[in-house]
Amino acid sequence: MPRTVLVAGAGLAGTRAAETLRAEGFEGRVILAGDEPTAPYERPALSKEYLAGTKRERELLLRPAGYWRETAIDLRLGQRVDPVDPIRGTAVLSSGEELEWDALVIATGARPRGLPFPAPRGVHSLRTLADARALREALVPGSRLAVVGGGFVGAEVASTAITLGLEVTMIEALHTPFERTLGPTVGRLLAERYRFHGVDVRVGTTVAGFREDEDGALQAVKLAGGSEVRCNTALVGIGIEPAREIVPDHLDGRPVYTCGDVTASGGHWTSAAAGGASVARRILSLPPAPTQPPFFWSDQFGLRLQLVGDTTHAAAVQIEGGPDTFIARYRDDKGRLVAALAANRPTEVAALRRDLAAPARERALARR
Amino acid sequence: MYRIHIDRSLCSGFGVCAELAPDVVMVGPDGLAEIRTGLTDDPAVLEAADSCPMAAITVAVEEAA
């Protein structure tokens, strides 16, 4: 049993790892260090309620302020952990302080992928609370927003911006928004919905650069082919890349675990939570908890989308219902249900999750 | 006895709690978890709290009076 567990990264995965250690009775030292200055918070709300102004900053906190002291989790905010030395069992915080550890959990997450062009003032990404604050300031009614990337972050920001009274253009390189995650059939349905709400959706369109004025402020997004989208603000939401800087490239020394987005396991909220909890159980030599299918949700243009399962190996999709409320079932090439998307059908999610969990459990039993 | 609390502002309607502890938690008409009874001796609530992806469920152990 380790005496000190250092958790690097205070996002959901890291937080869940620290919490689970305590919940399972670990009495050693738990240090949870995060590079953001804010106590662990609910990241999915940044592009949803926070941006829309319906949730304030303190309502985003995952745990009440007194929680960390009560659970004796040593929370170090504004502290990046870098470098780490698994042979000596040490790590250095950005303050310069050196810590000793017996087990290290790397939950450093991911950062937004950028475009390969210099970004003038007015080009945003959205990952942290600081990003969300800056974007919120920029979403001024009547101004123009270009959203690069038709994924969850882009669609949610576009939805909020339309509600706030901005002119919004969405630029997507593939044939439909969400083509990779939800498939082209659902993607077309969503694109129609965005257009109905006033978004200028440009699919099959790639970005060639930005145009700025002499003061360095964004004027337009330049498209491949020579045309451009005039805008005051651009949000780039083209995916994330894992922040793996401190992940050792060898297995020597004290045990190091990774969980959450740093493992690039898909970046879904429940995988991060389950990953953090499962690492804690491994540290304590506890049997793994039963696995649940991945789950993600998105609020956009009056739709609550809830995705259960993994669409990676989906070969066919079948949609039941109309544009305002539907269920899309994704099956693999053998006809097995691999994922389901519920749009404004919240009460059916539990049953869909059950349908998906059952075969997974059977497979796990068969492997024993 | 276990006292269960659900932070509905964190709940995202995954529904696994209602399956693991059906006597204690249900999924309401809005798709979010609702408590049937706040105080219970059903140990399934511990598993329900563990399985919540949002960590929206907290369980406090109370001594029986």
Side-chain angles (χ1 to χ4, degrees), chain A residues 46 50-51 112 124-136:
Chain A
L46 294 181
Y50 177 74
L51 207 56
H124 295 249
S125 56
L126 180 52
R127 175 79 185 170
T128 64
L129 180 56
D131 294 340
R133 274 188 205 130
L135 182 61
R136 203 158 95 152

Side-chain angles (χ1 to χ4, degrees), chain A:
Chain A
M1 189 72 66
R3 282 164 306 171
T4 300
V5 180
L6 170 62
V7 182
L12 179 68
T15 299
R16 281 294 253 176
E19 286 184 355
T20 307
L21 285 168
R22 282 290 181 251
E24 296 296 344
F26 177 65
E27 287 177 352
R29 190 170 179 211
V30 178
I31 308 163
L32 177 60
D35 59 356
E36 291 182 61
T38 318
Y41 60 91
E42 197 193 332
R43 209 181 290 284
L46 294 181
S47 53
K48 303 179 176 82
E49 299 99 319
Y50 177 74
L51 207 56
T54 56
K55 250 189 191 179
R56 284 165 296 174
E57 282 189 21
R58 58 184 172 81
E59 293 173 292
L60 300 178
L61 296 180
L62 281 174
R63 294 292 175 247
Y67 174 86
W68 310 102
R69 188 182 295 265
E70 278 163 32
T71 50
I73 292 172
D74 185 355
L75 186 63
R76 305 294 185 92
L77 299 175
Q79 297 295 322
R80 218 177 114 75
V81 179
D82 194 11
V84 299
D85 183 342
I87 306 288
R88 290 175 56 225
T90 55
V92 182
L93 299 183
S94 36
S95 64
E97 184 186 356
E98 191 178 82
L99 297 170
E100 285 188 32
W101 51 268
D102 307 298
L104 171 67
V105 178
I106 300 181
T108 41
R111 56 181 67 91
R113 200 174 286 148
L115 287 164
F117 322 107
R121 200 170 69 243
V123 178
H124 295 249
S125 56
L126 180 52
R127 175 79 185 170
T128 64
L129 180 56
D131 294 340
R133 274 188 205 130
L135 182 61
R136 203 158 95 152
E137 293 259 298
L139 296 186
V140 180
S143 68
R144 291 167 191 262
L145 170 72
V147 170
V148 182
F152 286 108
V153 169
E156 289 178 357
V157 172
S159 172
T160 304
I162 287 284
T163 312
L164 293 173
L166 281 85
E167 281 185 46
V168 181
T169 304
M170 178 186 277
I171 303 160
E172 167 57 53
L174 299 179
H175 300 96
T176 76
F178 294 99
E179 184 167 331
R180 236 175 248 130
T181 36
L182 301 178
T185 315
V186 171
R188 269 191 297 276
L189 222 121
L190 293 174
E192 262 173 53
R193 187 172 190 92
Y194 304 165
R195 290 194 173 109
F196 176 80
H197 283 268
V199 180
D200 179 1
V201 181
R202 315 272 188 96
V203 293
T205 306
T206 47
V207 171
F210 298 105
R211 184 163 60 78
E212 58 196 280
D213 65 13
E214 54 274 22
D215 300 324
L218 177 69
Q219 293 282 292
V221 175
K222 295 195 268 189
L223 305 178
S227 66
E228 51 177 48
V229 173
R230 286 186 58 85
C231 57
N232 318 92
T233 305
L235 171 81
V236 179
I238 53 171
I240 54 174
E241 50 199 18
R244 296 184 60 87
E245 288 81 356
I246 64 165
V247 178
D249 47 15
H250 57 79
L251 291 171
D252 307 329
R254 300 186 193 183
V256 175
Y257 306 81
T258 55
C259 58
D261 283 348
V262 73
T263 63
S265 63
H268 282 178
W269 174 263
T270 57
S271 345
S278 120
V279 155
R281 298 181 67 85
R282 270 159 59 205
I283 292 173
L284 303 175
S285 307
L286 295 169
T291 55
Q292 295 290 341
F295 178 62
F296 196 81
W297 78 106
S298 175
D299 294 319
Q300 42 173 286
F301 300 99
L303 280 188
R304 163 150 279 211
L305 299 175
Q306 291 166 294
L307 177 67
V308 198
D310 183 352
T311 56
T312 311
H313 300 291
V317 59
Q318 173 200 6
I319 297 176
E320 165 215 318
D324 293 327
T325 160
F326 64 87
I327 288 178
R329 287 184 175 79
Y330 297 84
R331 296 182 190 281
D332 66 9
D333 53 8
K334 296 194 173 67
R336 290 177 299 205
L337 187 70
V338 290
L341 176 73
N344 287 350
R345 295 277 193 95
T347 54
E348 286 171 62
V349 171
L352 292 169
R353 191 184 43 70
R354 227 164 17 238
D355 291 347
L356 280 156
R361 241 189 328 258
E362 280 158 29
R363 280 199 297 278
L365 287 172
R367 270 204 303 273
R368 277 187 197 163

Side-chain angles (χ1 to χ4, degrees), chain B:
Chain B
M1 297 292 272
Y2 305 105
R3 183 170 293 282
I4 179 166
H5 174 78
I6 299 181
D7 183 342
R8 295 191 99 232
S9 82
L10 282 178
C11 178
S12 60
F14 192 49
V16 71
C17 51
E19 188 186 325
L20 293 170
D23 296 336
V24 187
V25 191
M26 58 184 239
V27 173
D30 55 359
L32 302 184
E34 269 179 30
I35 293 180
R36 286 183 196 272
T37 166
L39 202 58
T40 175
D41 55 5
D42 183 353
V45 296
L46 297 173
E47 211 187 324
D50 272 359
S51 305
C52 173
M54 303 298 294
I57 304 177
T58 43
V59 177
V61 182
E62 290 192 0
E63 298 297 323

